[in-house]
């Protein structure tokens, strides 16, 4: 038995490799975090080393006090996670105020958790509350086509949501709440974390202009599937716009309403506006 036999650890590694294979993780791009269930902490506790020093998170997440997370390491390559999880990722514990973290496993050759730790933890805090504890995965990827779209579409939630919904019939079923967009900001700090977590109150997806995407979900499959669906939709839009600036036909607001009825999803009217 090794920590690599534990199911959530395997799911974490698989997502990293799947993202790499999609081409979303050049060099050290992207990061992943998983909020570990109490019973899963007990499955891995025997592999913990002497706790490292308490270090400042860079923001405060009181609703996550005392929780454990598996996260990718700063400067580490997704490409290498499958080869050496203990070098490229880590398990951390938060203190009783949600202000500091310490490393309990991993980063065996040194290093720090992801540079986007403030964004990950603030998103976890918001999604834990919004989903009554169901959401556990926050995933950041440098998705090529979504990034390309942030140069040509207005950076508005309603525009991105509607354009992405129109590109594939399943889209409004997969992300019925829509997607949020953050204008360009310096990554890694508290300000972008606050802006992103504000959007995560409403959406499961936040787009960072000229940078990438954040997705949230209850498990690895759903979260990866969400990232994949949004990015594929963006790819179709990029192809469509490359062929022609206008569409000859598309999915109409009434089509969306009919779909919502049959698929039992609520599609907010704010995204079903008439275009001219
Ligand atoms: O390099 O993706 O946003 C890691 C990142 C920072
Ligand atoms: Zn990034």
């Amino acid at each position: 038995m090794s920590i690599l036999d534990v199911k959530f650890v395997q799911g974490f590694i698989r997502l990293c490799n799947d993202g790499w294979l999609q081409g979303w993780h050049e060099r050290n791009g992207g990061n992943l975090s998983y909020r570990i269930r109490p019973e899963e902490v007990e499955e891995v506790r025997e592999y913990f080393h002497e706790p490292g020093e308490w270090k400042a998170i860079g923001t405060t997440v009181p609703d996550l006090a005392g929780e454990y997370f598996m996260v990718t390491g700063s400067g580490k390559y997704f490409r290498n996670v499958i080869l050496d999880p203990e070098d490229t990722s880590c398990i951390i514990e938060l203190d009783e105020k949600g202000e500091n973290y310490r490393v309990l496993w991993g980063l065996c050759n040194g290093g720090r958790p992801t540079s986007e730790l403030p964004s990950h933890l603030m998103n976890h805090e918001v999604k834990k509350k919004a989903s009554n504890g169901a959401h556990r995965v926050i995933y950041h990827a440098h998705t090529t086509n979504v990034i390309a779209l942030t140069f040509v579409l207005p950076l508005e939630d309603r525009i991105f949501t509607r354009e992405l919904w129109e590109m594939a019939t399943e889209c409004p079923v997969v992300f019925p709440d829509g997607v949020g967009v953050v204008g360009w900001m310096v990554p890694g700090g508290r300000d972008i974390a606050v802006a992103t977590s504000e959007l995560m109150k409403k959406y499961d997806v936040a787009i960072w202009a000229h940078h990438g995407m954040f997705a949230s979900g209850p498990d690895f499959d759903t979260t990866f599937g969400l990232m994949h669906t949004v990015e594929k939709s963006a790819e179709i839009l990029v192809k469509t716009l490359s062929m022609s600036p206008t569409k000859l036909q598309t999915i109409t607001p009434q089509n969306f309403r009919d779909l919502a009825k049959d698929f039992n999803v609520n599609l907010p009217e704010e995204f079903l506006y008439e275009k001219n």
Side-chain angles (χ1 to χ4, degrees):
M1 191 69 187
S2 121
I3 193 168
L4 303 180
D5 297 319
V6 175
K7 202 158 174 254
F8 81 82
V9 177
Q10 292 180 345
F12 186 98
I13 295 168
R14 181 169 175 224
L15 188 151
C16 289
N17 202 57
D18 285 347
W20 156 248
L21 293 174
Q22 289 296 326
W24 302 336
H25 300 286
E26 74 292 339
R27 204 172 180 275
N28 60 319
N31 24 76
L32 174 66
S33 63
Y34 173 70
R35 188 166 60 84
I36 308 172
R37 289 187 168 79
E39 63 273 22
E40 291 172 327
V41 174
E42 296 320 309
E43 282 183 76
V44 293
R45 194 177 289 283
E46 64 178 295
Y47 305 106
F48 290 169
H49 51 60
E50 279 300 303
E53 299 279 295
W54 287 110
K55 297 203 172 116
I57 294 167
T59 189
T60 313
V61 284
D63 290 345
L64 299 177
E67 294 228 48
Y68 294 72
F69 296 83
M70 184 165 183
V71 300
T72 47
S74 176
K76 304 292 183 177
Y77 293 21
F78 265 49
R79 179 172 166 250
N80 293 333
V81 172
I82 196 165
L83 297 178
D84 197 350
E86 196 166 2
D87 169 68
T88 50
S89 64
C90 62
I91 293 177
I92 60 170
E93 169 190 23
L94 306 194
D95 68 6
E96 76 287 352
K97 287 189 171 154
E99 285 175 0
N100 300 285
Y101 73 88
R102 60 182 181 178
V103 176
L104 300 173
W105 175 86
L107 292 175
C108 59
N109 298 305
R112 296 181 281 113
T114 167
S115 57
E116 302 294 356
L117 193 64
S119 276
H120 277 260
L121 293 179
M122 291 192 82
N123 288 341
H124 274 293
E125 190 177 49
V126 161
K127 295 313 282 188
K128 180 184 174 187
K129 189 166 176 215
S131 69
N132 286 320
H135 277 213
R136 296 193 167 271
V137 182
I138 298 289
Y139 178 30
H140 169 56
H142 293 175
T143 42
T144 317
N145 293 285
V146 162
I147 298 170
L149 288 177
T150 64
F151 294 92
V152 299
L153 290 185
L155 300 175
E156 294 173 30
D157 303 2
R158 64 197 285 277
I159 306 273
F160 267 80
T161 298
R162 176 65 176 277
E163 292 303 317
L164 292 170
W165 277 3
E166 280 186 38
M167 288 303 113
T169 299
E170 294 272 306
C171 284
V173 181
V174 176
F175 48 101
D177 297 331
V179 302
V181 187
V182 181
W184 189 88
M185 290 179 80
V186 177
R190 190 172 179 278
D191 291 349
I192 197 166
V194 170
T196 312
S197 62
E198 207 42 55
L199 290 178
M200 283 290 186
K201 289 178 183 167
K202 188 170 172 194
Y203 308 111
D204 291 341
V205 180
I207 292 169
W208 281 3
H210 324 325
H211 185 145
M213 238 194 299
F214 267 83
S216 171
D219 53 49
F220 295 111
D221 277 355
T222 313
T223 313
F224 185 83
L226 177 59
M227 185 73 83
H228 202 186
T229 305
V230 175
E231 170 59 7
K232 175 157 181 181
S233 175
E235 182 181 348
I236 301 169
L237 184 52
V238 167
K239 288 185 171 166
T240 306
L241 291 169
S242 308
M243 289 185 284
S244 161
T246 56
K247 303 167 198 155
L248 204 52
Q249 55 273 322
T250 187
I251 305 170
T252 67
Q254 191 52 46
N255 291 155
F256 284 122
R257 290 184 194 106
D258 294 344
L259 185 77
K261 205 156 151 247
D262 272 26
F263 279 76
N264 258 321
V265 288
N266 176 46
L267 300 179
E269 279 292 321
E270 66 177 297
F271 300 126
L272 301 181
Y273 49 88
E274 290 301 328
K275 294 183 192 172
N276 35 27

